[in-house]
Amino acid sequence: MNNLSFSHSHILQTLREEIGYSIEQLAKYLGTDSSTVQEWEDGTAKPTPAQSLVLSKLYGLDFPQFCDSLAVESFVPEDIQEEFSQEAWKNKLCRERRLL
């Protein structure tokens, strides 16, 4: 397994902390488990392209730049991109924030 450099994995933790999410909250938001998020932050795993798309939107970052900075694959199938269109994303984010 390719390890991310410290700076790459550290960026994931910093971004998560900046929006005030715990590892458990972020995992729930992404539909994964906390050990997966912990592996990203430890640098032993990387988010999938679909997870990276959701993370970039959640953190308010440009998707390609987010992927480049973390050295993750940026290809996301068109149907997933459609799911996270601006309007759909705004609605999902509003619903999720009310739940947290």
Side-chain angles (χ1 to χ4, degrees):
M1 180 179 311
N2 292 337
N3 286 347
L4 297 170
S5 72
F6 174 76
S7 61
H8 291 155
S9 59
H10 182 71
I11 222 166
L12 290 169
Q13 179 179 355
T14 301
L15 289 168
R16 176 184 53 78
E17 290 173 347
E18 283 181 1
I19 64 165
Y21 277 34
S22 67
I23 287 175
E24 293 77 15
Q25 287 172 311
L26 183 59
K28 182 178 179 181
Y29 185 83
L30 294 169
T32 191
D33 55 61
S34 57
S35 64
T36 299
V37 175
Q38 187 64 58
E39 288 173 355
W40 301 340
E41 293 185 5
D42 290 342
T44 58
K46 298 177 184 179
T48 66
Q51 290 165 331
S52 297
L53 178 63
V54 175
L55 287 169
S56 70
K57 297 286 188 179
L58 178 63
Y59 298 144
L61 301 171
D62 178 68
F63 177 63
Q65 289 178 341
F66 178 77
C67 291
D68 288 347
S69 69
L70 299 177
V72 297
E73 176 60 50
S74 61
F75 173 76
V76 177
E78 200 167 306
D79 61 327
I80 293 174
Q81 289 182 28
E82 182 69 28
E83 179 182 345
F84 289 97
S85 67
Q86 284 294 82
E87 194 59 39
W89 177 251
K90 287 178 189 174
N91 292 337
K92 178 177 175 44
L93 189 58
C94 288
R95 285 193 308 274
E96 293 295 331
R97 287 195 173 164
R98 281 186 236 138
L99 296 176
L100 294 177

